[in-house]
Amino acid sequence: MQVLRPALYALLALAALFTFWSGGELAGRRLPQWTQVVAPTLFALFLAIFTVYRFALVRAKKYPAATGMFQVGLGALIWVLLLPSTRQQIAPEPSGMDDVPALMTSPDPRVRAAAVELAGFRGGGARYAAVLIDRLDDADGRVRQEAHAALVRLAKTDAGQDPEAWRELARRRGWMR
């Protein structure tokens, strides 16, 4: 029993360490994909040993059965949450998901103007070209002005205020079909 307790703590600490680092970066380097499997595997090993240990204490009447069952059940829930498939389902949206196009169609002209301006400063702003060109016909003058400025910033040239001229330029540059 004296060896079992430190071994359990070591397994738990390693599982926690890999949980925080798996799939992310460590010292500027991206960790390999296999690290996502290490955390649930180590925790499963911990949970198996912990379960045998707790049930042995319960059987010897040295530990309350309800507490032991609760701890094992909670451990099983945590293990399920560590599984890579579960982590993918509860992970935040990938960085490719972008709210700027939706904000450019907001009913509030202030929101549209701010989103259009932001699109002009974003890296890879060409992905916003179609929506920016559509904003050149916006009912609000500030939105039209910001859309024009954003397109000029992205294209590094001025095709004027005509949306069709901008569509032609965007097609030639491969921004639109």
Side-chain angles (χ1 to χ4, degrees):
M1 288 294 181
Q2 295 300 332
V3 175
L4 189 58
R5 218 175 267 168
L8 282 172
Y9 283 124
L11 279 171
L12 190 58
L14 281 171
L17 190 68
F18 275 101
T19 298
F20 290 119
W21 282 336
S22 66
E25 287 187 7
L26 179 63
R29 290 187 172 167
R30 187 122 180 98
L31 293 176
Q33 199 69 18
W34 63 265
T35 59
Q36 291 183 0
V37 178
V38 173
T41 303
L42 288 173
F43 193 80
L45 184 60
F46 160 81
L47 188 58
I49 295 169
F50 180 80
T51 301
V52 170
Y53 173 63
R54 275 295 179 245
F55 286 166
L57 288 175
V58 167
R59 189 167 188 208
K61 307 260 189 237
K62 293 183 179 180
Y63 204 79
T67 305
M69 292 295 286
F70 176 78
Q71 290 172 337
V72 170
L74 183 61
L77 174 65
I78 291 169
W79 177 74
V80 168
L81 292 173
L82 288 176
L83 293 173
S85 60
T86 305
R87 292 175 76 183
Q88 288 171 353
Q89 290 177 359
I90 60 176
E93 293 289 329
S95 60
M97 298 303 289
D98 192 356
D99 290 332
V100 173
L103 293 172
M104 283 195 266
T105 60
S106 168
D108 186 343
R110 294 170 302 169
V111 173
R112 288 195 312 272
V116 164
E117 182 180 6
L118 174 65
F121 285 106
R122 284 242 173 129
R127 68 179 180 255
Y128 303 119
V131 184
L132 285 170
I133 293 168
D134 289 343
R135 294 299 95 201
L136 289 173
D137 284 332
D138 197 274
D140 187 76
R142 183 164 172 238
V143 175
R144 289 191 305 270
Q145 180 184 3
E146 292 294 343
H148 180 255
L151 285 165
V152 169
R153 202 174 300 113
L154 292 173
K156 309 230 184 317
T157 189
D158 191 348
Q161 300 290 334
D162 181 29
E164 284 310 313
W166 280 105
R167 283 188 184 89
E168 181 57 36
L169 177 68
R171 282 188 202 99
R172 279 184 284 157
R173 296 214 175 161
W175 296 351
M176 291 174 52
R177 293 179 198 187

